[in-house]
Amino acid sequence: MYSDSGADGGSLFGGGGFIPTQSTGLNDNSFSPGGATKKGGSQSSGLIPLTVKQLSSATQKPSDDNFYVDGHEVNNITLVGMVFNKEEKATDVSFMLDDFTGKIEVKKWIDGQVSEELVELRNIRNGIYVRIYGHLRSFQGKRNVVAFSVRPIKEFDEVTFHFIEAIYVHAFNLKRQGGIVGSTTPASTGVSYGAPPASTMTPNQSVNMRSNISNQYMAPASMPVGSNSVNECQKRVHALFDEPANLAIEQGLHVDEVARRMTGFTKQQVKDAIEFLVNEGFIYSTIDDDHYKSTNG
Amino acid sequence: MDVITSNPALLANAEKFRPYVGRRVRTVVKVNRFEGGNLHCQAPDGPHIVVRQVPRNEEFTQFVEVIGVVEGDTALRAEICTNFGDRFDLEQFSKLCDMANGSYRDIFMLRRRGQDFLASNK
């Protein structure tokens, strides 16, 4: 299913997190062998908090229509700013969003139905603060944002938060650029569990990077894949299921068999690891609740 | 140009007023009183400041965001005032101002050649 998602589908809804590629590396590799061979340009880049100033300096490669900020592809973005020059038409609502680093045109298409969303959009007035989620694009040489959602801000700490978050992601991406040059090559992007890609990185750096992501960033963003919770036991149980010999067994492995082969871990730990891997879609139960097999098989 | 960055308002607490005299800034204040079109208030980093020519007369909440031009160390001429409600973390906002004028200023403002007045604050 994941491998079916094309470039656009994948980039629209694939990530769900804020940090490009890292957040989906786990998925890409484990769900679809094709994930790792995706072109660099179609890597899902998640949802990125930005300032309008950053959008103005986003670069585009002549070869594709994608935008890049801090060297990372930008598709879906979130902005916080004030509404000006709002115009309502039958088919869309558009306005200039000014976050006081710059202004950009935002357009929200209306599907014609009188919905809650439409009522909400009508209540957006000039001079109020909104948060938008949208897609950055270039139309007739002009950059604008097609919004999926425009919501008024009610707690104004969110304004502070947005800019702090934008700073965080910016700093994160710059640090990552400096730290893992070369990991953006297609072959090494989809590495499971953030294990060191075949690049210049040392394992130690990898550990730091991973803990940085999980503790400070991904966990609060409630990532669908709890990459931070992949512990040693889970990793080894998964590796066991992925062994060719075990992939070949039709009914998969029995829990007791797994526990027997996982020296150094209690049966309960192994069971927990199996439950985790099932929940994350890495393995599935076969003939009964005691037999499991890798989804890579 | 499609994206307009020509008239930004720089995030600033009172500490940044001096180097920003004559420039458009953005800050959040805690209102003490509103008198004769002026807002007497507290800047995010503590000092008392006066916001002049406040463009509207309706009731202000405890916290107000002010976009305006710096007139001096403790004075702003208001352009836009937005009610920010009665609950707002000024201290956090003040830290944001520090960051936005420090190492991360690139994501907030264009570098202006020959006008790198920020160097002293780095």
Side-chain angles (χ1 to χ4, degrees), chain B residues 102-117:
Chain B
S103 344
Y104 303 110
R105 65 184 201 231
D106 281 358
I107 73 170
F108 293 96
M109 60 183 111
L110 292 166
R111 265 174 213 277
R112 297 191 173 191
R113 240 182 297 163
Q115 205 185 336
D116 210 349
F117 45 79

Side-chain angles (χ1 to χ4, degrees), chain B residues 19 61-62 114:
Chain B
T61 56
Q62 198 178 355

Side-chain angles (χ1 to χ4, degrees), chain A residues 145-161:
Chain A
V145 174
V146 175
F148 313 134
S149 141
V150 181
R151 299 258 158 79
I153 282 183
K154 290 176 180 135
E155 292 282 338
F156 290 90
D157 281 322
E158 188 171 348
V159 178
T160 312
F161 167 75

Side-chain angles (χ1 to χ4, degrees), chain A:
Chain A
M1 56 184 229
Y2 275 74
S3 53
D4 289 341
S5 62
D8 287 338
S11 52
L12 278 179
F13 299 110
F18 295 94
I19 304 296
T21 61
Q22 293 270 7
S23 60
T24 52
L26 200 61
N27 274 341
D28 284 345
N29 192 47
S30 310
F31 281 91
S32 66
T37 56
K38 269 195 200 170
K39 278 187 294 174
S42 62
Q43 284 287 337
S44 162
S45 57
L47 175 71
I48 304 180
L50 293 171
T51 65
V52 175
K53 156 70 176 59
Q54 285 177 293
L55 293 184
S56 77
S57 44
T59 51
Q60 265 180 304
K61 286 182 189 165
S63 52
D64 57 35
D65 292 336
N66 299 324
F67 290 94
Y68 294 84
V69 172
D70 299 331
H72 291 275
E73 190 186 330
V74 166
N75 271 302
N76 295 330
I77 58 171
T78 178
L79 302 172
V80 168
M82 204 178 258
V83 174
F84 289 100
N85 307 337
K86 187 189 171 201
E87 282 179 36
E88 273 185 55
K89 294 187 205 127
T91 53
D92 69 83
V93 170
S94 63
F95 54 85
M96 294 300 285
L97 184 89
D98 191 346
D99 73 353
F100 302 105
T101 70
K103 295 179 202 177
I104 192 165
E105 189 194 5
V106 174
K107 194 184 273 267
K108 171 86 177 75
W109 294 104
I110 299 169
D111 64 3
Q113 308 277 323
V114 178
S115 57
E116 218 171 291
E117 192 183 30
L118 188 59
V119 174
E120 206 171 52
L121 267 179
R122 293 222 164 106
N123 285 334
I124 305 274
R125 304 179 316 274
N126 288 331
I128 72 164
Y129 267 103
V130 292
R131 177 184 281 277
I132 67 149
Y133 297 94
H135 179 73
L136 178 63
R137 63 165 195 176
S138 187
F139 181 65
Q140 293 174 344
K142 289 183 178 177
R143 285 171 194 190
N144 64 12
V145 174
V146 175
F148 313 134
S149 141
V150 181
R151 299 258 158 79
I153 282 183
K154 290 176 180 135
E155 292 282 338
F156 290 90
D157 281 322
E158 188 171 348
V159 178
T160 312
F161 167 75
H162 172 75
F163 290 105
I164 291 174
E165 195 182 36
I167 288 174
Y168 183 87
V169 171
H170 170 71
F172 182 95
N173 283 339
L174 289 189
K175 197 168 155 190
R176 195 162 151 246
Q177 262 178 351
I180 334 174
V181 180
S183 74
T184 49
T185 54
S188 57
T189 37
V191 179
S192 288
Y193 307 127
S199 72
T200 55
M201 233 171 97
T202 67
N204 209 12
Q205 273 175 311
S206 162
V207 169
N208 289 341
M209 193 62 70
R210 174 58 51 180
S211 63
N212 185 15
I213 298 165
S214 3
N215 299 341
Q216 294 180 22
Y217 211 70
M218 281 191 167
S222 14
M223 289 296 303
V225 177
S227 46
N228 55 329
S229 48
V230 178
N231 61 28
E232 186 59 27
C233 183
Q234 288 157 356
K235 206 190 284 188
R236 286 186 41 194
V237 170
H238 189 206
L240 181 66
F241 277 105
D242 270 354
E243 280 176 17
N246 297 330
L247 289 175
I249 306 170
E250 199 180 343
Q251 74 272 24
L253 289 172
H254 192 277
V255 177
D256 292 341
E257 170 70 8
V258 178
R260 194 179 58 76
R261 292 177 58 174
M262 293 296 294
T263 46
F265 296 101
T266 65
K267 191 174 174 186
Q268 192 53 46
Q269 278 177 310
V270 170
K271 279 186 164 176
D272 290 344
I274 286 173
E275 194 187 333
F276 169 83
L277 292 168
V278 169
N279 288 337
E280 297 299 337
F282 295 119
I283 60 174
Y284 61 99
S285 62
T286 56
I287 50 171
D288 56 33
D289 285 346
D290 290 329
H291 285 81
Y292 295 91
K293 200 173 172 186
S294 170
T295 46
N296 287 337

Side-chain angles (χ1 to χ4, degrees), chain B residues 24-95:
Chain B
R24 195 169 178 246
V25 297
R26 161 192 204 171
T27 193
V28 179
V29 297
K30 188 175 180 191
V31 176
N32 291 336
R33 62 181 198 279
F34 182 54
E35 211 174 68
N38 298 334
L39 268 184
H40 296 263
C41 46
Q42 188 195 330
D45 45 344
H48 285 272
I49 59 169
V50 179
V51 181
R52 303 196 316 108
Q53 297 178 16
V54 173
R56 64 178 195 189
N57 225 337
E58 75 179 66
E59 196 112 325
F60 285 107
T61 56
Q62 198 178 355
F63 296 97
V64 173
E65 184 200 52
V66 180
I67 312 283
V69 176
V70 180
E71 293 190 322
D73 286 2
T74 58
L76 272 182
R77 187 177 71 248
E79 278 179 17
I80 306 170
C81 291
T82 311
N83 274 333
F84 262 25
D86 293 325
R87 242 182 25 175
F88 186 80
D89 191 337
L90 265 192
E91 203 182 317
Q92 210 59 253
F93 179 81
S94 191
K95 284 181 191 160

